[in-house]
Amino acid sequence: MAPVEVSDLSKRFGTRVAVDHISFSAEAGEVFGLLGPNGAGKSTTVRMLCGLLLPTSGVARIAGHDVARHPVAARRRLGAVLGGERSLYWKLTGREYLLYFAALYGLRGADARRRAGDLLARFRLDDRADELVERYSTGMKQRLALARSMLADPAVLLLDEPTAGLDPVSARLLRDEVRAVAAEGRTVLLTTHYMEEADELCQRVAFVTGGRIVALDAPGALKRRLGGGAVCRVELAGWRPDLSLPGEAVAIGEGRWELRVPVSDPAAELPALVAQAAQAGAAVLRCESVEPTLEDVFVAVAGQALRA
Amino acid sequence: MSALWAGVRRSLLMKLRYPDFWFAYLAWPVIFPAAYLLTAGALAQGGHGFAGYRADIVSGTLMWMWVNVTCWSVGGALRQEQTGGTLESNWSSPAARWALLTGPALTDIGLSLAGMVLGALECTLLFGVRWAAPWPVAAAVAVASVPWVLGVGLVLAAMVFWAKDVSVMVNLVRGLFMVACGITCPLAVLPGWLQRVGGALPMTYALDAMRGGPWGTDLVRLLGFDVGLAALGALLFAGVEASVRRRGALGTY
Ligand SMILES: Nc1ncnc2c1ncn2[C@@H]1O[C@H](COP(=O)(O)OP(=O)(O)O)[C@@H](O)[C@H]1O
Ligand SMILES: [Mg+2]
């Protein structure tokens, strides 16, 4: 049985369906990504996996334990980072923070101190370990949260938007840490709305939108779905749905759209596309053909951009 | 000038939308003077003597201050963690919920209890207050008061999850303890209906024992309140926790 098993999981808040019958599993050593725009239902899924939320229907299992029925057993095998730096106590030092949570995970005395010390060193916090968290940078806070989630030596790590708010360098460093954690044989489930992150980090990615998984595969395989060719991007002013141009149009600014069309032969099809757009009465501001990104696939599959 | 009026208008609109504004506006101005009126009534009746009343007033005030702080200790800590964002990381650990709840509250309860003991010592030294109850009785009353205070705290904490803003309930509890338990006067001075309310509140018996009342029966009553209120609090909280996990009210929703 896979360390994370989600089957037919749903969550309704009143009449709003936040998660709509999703199923997936994540293997040991895998970084599994839930990729989708804000409001897609990613955090709700993670909260159900932590036992913080009860599902309306369906089952979530952590290391074989049904989270809703045996939350304590599931939580023992689980580390979670929700809400990033907000999940820290700013008036504690990094070490005090870890020792507090070590106690919540049943670690005591010398064991707890050793574990906290190891994690502080591993996440490059040891030289600032006895400073108040409020003096840490956002990157350090995020690493401290990650260190906390590793206290119980968990089989499964749940990271909700782990790099949100980080500068590019800190985000890359954090991604390296996440990769290393998975390389130890842990299962990492992370949510993100950064497609580069999902592409770079995840062995498999589930596209989530409107509470449903609309595609699930390895990033490379997802990209190959677009036909292996390229994507033409044509920036337009004056696009309207009734122009009946091919591909998906994504609003990218005031009165500007980007038309994204997967093609197999860009040299022939890009000029034709530009001509077609001009003929339809849209002004072409810029055009290019690029390797398809995960976001292109997302747009093609979900009919919606990630950062809407 | 228009900015001044805009500021007045905005703050008025916002204040009116906080329920505890109405409580502060309508209830406290009655509750506070009432406490002093009752004191005046008690003094006018004489009977107990000046020295006796001094001790009564100090013990009543200190006890009320303690309850005032601690009845909100559980809920306040919970609310703070909820809005601060640390609640979910605590609750996604395997630790027992009741431990996560009462741990931080015990700090508050203990700290403020120590503060009240200090206050009592200072009143003894500075004003020469002489206490009716011997110190072992006072200590027993203090210890026996921790569970019921915690119980009241749990009840109020459970309400945090029903209605985010429970300040009205908290103030109601504080006001009730202020006027009904005779913090600055003997219970006998209260109008009959208030005496009955006071009879249903544990602090009344704590004060009675402190003031040289029959401490044996008072302590037994306190223990009854301990069991009852702690159980009620724990029960309510367990029920609310389940509903919270359904509604997802742990975060900021
Ligand atoms: N506790 C809650 N009560 C009501 N609605 C909620 C609650 N939590 C989330 N939602 C709603 O469920 C949907 C999914 O939210 P969420 O899982 O946070 O999305 P994501 O993490 O993908 O941005 C959103 O429409 C959100 O407003
Ligand atoms: Mg989210």
Side-chain angles (χ1 to χ4, degrees):
Chain A
M1 174 169 276
V4 177
E5 294 255 6
V6 171
S7 64
D8 221 21
L9 197 65
S10 296
K11 182 68 198 177
R12 264 203 328 267
F13 296 108
T15 55
R16 172 186 286 155
V17 179
V19 173
D20 193 2
H21 297 282
I22 62 170
S23 301
F24 63 88
S25 60
E27 303 297 330
E30 181 177 37
V31 182
F32 186 99
L34 294 175
L35 178 68
N38 286 329
K42 306 181 296 290
S43 300
T44 303
T45 305
V46 169
R47 288 199 169 88
M48 287 193 277
L49 279 164
C50 296
L52 293 171
L53 261 184
L54 284 175
T56 309
S57 65
V59 181
R61 283 200 178 79
I62 297 289
H65 303 287
D66 180 335
V67 182
R69 291 224 202 130
H70 307 289
V72 175
R75 287 186 193 125
R76 276 189 218 288
R77 311 303 315 281
L78 183 76
V81 178
L82 309 171
E85 55 176 342
R86 284 184 73 240
S87 67
L88 306 177
Y89 292 104
W90 293 29
K91 287 288 176 197
L92 293 185
T93 68
R95 192 186 308 280
E96 288 163 346
Y97 176 75
L98 288 186
L99 287 174
Y100 166 66
F101 274 96
L104 300 194
Y105 282 90
L107 291 169
R108 279 201 206 94
D111 275 352
R113 278 195 300 278
R114 190 170 338 105
R115 184 85 186 131
D118 289 350
L119 287 168
L120 287 165
R122 165 167 189 174
F123 292 104
R124 292 170 286 116
L125 295 163
D126 38 351
D127 51 333
R128 306 275 300 273
D130 299 304
E131 260 179 59
L132 293 187
V133 169
E134 64 185 359
R135 303 239 289 268
Y136 287 12
S137 69
T138 307
M140 292 170 69
K141 286 183 190 134
Q142 199 60 277
R143 293 207 299 279
L144 183 61
L146 189 60
R148 187 250 302 147
S149 73
M150 292 278 289
L151 277 166
D153 192 16
V156 174
L157 267 144
L158 305 175
L159 310 177
D160 194 14
E161 311 256 355
T163 59
L166 292 189
D167 63 82
V169 177
S170 314
R172 187 164 46 72
L173 290 173
L174 193 85
R175 285 201 281 272
D176 291 340
E177 314 276 14
V178 171
R179 215 175 277 117
V181 161
E184 297 168 349
R186 303 177 209 277
T187 304
V188 178
L189 179 87
L190 65 84
T191 76
T192 181
H193 61 269
Y194 301 124
M195 51 129 186
E196 304 90 345
E197 180 162 289
D199 197 355
E200 183 195 325
L201 199 54
C202 300
Q203 270 90 66
R204 285 187 305 149
V205 175
F207 287 169
V208 189
T209 173
R212 283 190 308 207
I213 293 182
V214 290
L216 194 170
D217 215 330
L222 284 168
K223 285 185 227 166
R224 280 194 297 279
R225 284 196 192 180
L226 285 186
V231 173
C232 290
R233 298 182 167 193
V234 183
E235 191 180 324
L236 300 170
W239 177 86
R240 292 192 317 273
D242 60 316
L243 294 185
S244 62
L245 292 169
E248 294 285 341
V250 177
I252 57 171
E254 187 70 21
R256 292 183 302 132
W257 284 265
E258 190 173 80
L259 199 62
R260 298 178 186 176
V261 190
V263 298
S264 46
D265 179 9
E269 291 176 64
L270 184 58
L273 196 61
V274 170
Q276 196 186 349
Q279 206 162 33
V284 175
L285 303 176
R286 187 176 53 81
C287 71
E288 61 180 347
S289 88
V290 292
E291 291 271 290
T293 64
L294 213 48
E295 179 157 30
D296 291 317
V297 191
F298 192 94
V299 170
V301 173
Q304 161 188 23
L306 278 172
R307 264 157 285 191
Chain B
M1 241 6 218
S2 75
L4 179 75
W5 283 118
V8 170
R9 205 177 111 78
R10 174 188 59 88
S11 87
L12 186 64
L13 278 177
M14 286 169 65
K15 271 194 204 316
L16 296 182
R17 287 177 189 158
Y18 282 99
D20 61 339
F21 167 79
W22 291 105
F23 198 89
Y25 199 71
L26 300 173
W28 279 124
V30 183
I31 294 174
F32 232 80
Y36 292 104
L37 281 175
L38 293 169
T39 316
L43 288 173
Q45 283 179 18
H48 192 39
F50 181 57
Y53 274 131
R54 277 161 45 106
D56 287 1
I57 287 175
V58 173
S59 60
T61 312
L62 288 177
M63 188 83 190
W64 182 74
M65 283 170 70
W66 184 59
V67 171
N68 204 34
V69 172
T70 51
C71 74
W72 186 226
S73 57
V74 190
L78 190 67
R79 185 78 186 120
Q80 196 186 337
E81 301 232 24
Q82 190 183 30
T83 50
T86 47
L87 193 64
E88 291 194 316
S89 51
N90 279 281
W91 284 37
S92 57
S93 80
R97 302 290 98 119
W98 66 264
L100 293 176
L101 270 176
T102 46
L106 280 178
T107 309
D108 275 0
I109 294 177
L111 268 182
S112 58
L113 186 61
M116 296 309 140
V117 171
L118 217 67
L121 283 177
E122 282 167 349
C123 286
T124 314
L125 293 176
L126 292 175
F127 307 118
V129 171
R130 263 200 302 259
W131 305 92
W135 72 264
V137 171
V141 167
V143 170
S145 289
V146 172
W148 69 256
V149 158
L150 208 56
V152 173
L154 275 171
V155 171
L156 290 173
M159 288 181 179
V160 170
F161 285 135
W162 286 121
K164 295 272 139 82
D165 207 343
V166 292
S167 49
V168 169
M169 275 313 295
V170 176
N171 277 323
L172 198 66
V173 167
R174 288 171 175 165
L176 210 61
F177 278 98
M178 185 161 187
V179 291
C181 300
I183 58 168
T184 57
C185 61
L187 215 58
V189 197
L190 300 182
W193 63 275
L194 255 188
Q195 285 191 33
R196 279 192 288 283
V197 175
L201 295 174
M203 199 171 95
T204 308
Y205 303 101
L207 285 179
D208 189 56
M210 294 282 202
R211 290 167 177 173
W215 56 267
T217 40
D218 285 335
L219 274 176
V220 169
R221 287 216 168 109
L222 278 182
L223 289 179
F225 279 109
D226 284 347
V227 173
L229 279 170
L232 178 69
L235 236 112
L236 266 183
F237 202 88
V240 166
E241 204 237 313
S243 114
V244 160
R245 288 209 292 154
R246 240 172 290 120
R247 288 180 300 134
L250 272 186
T252 34
Y253 276 95

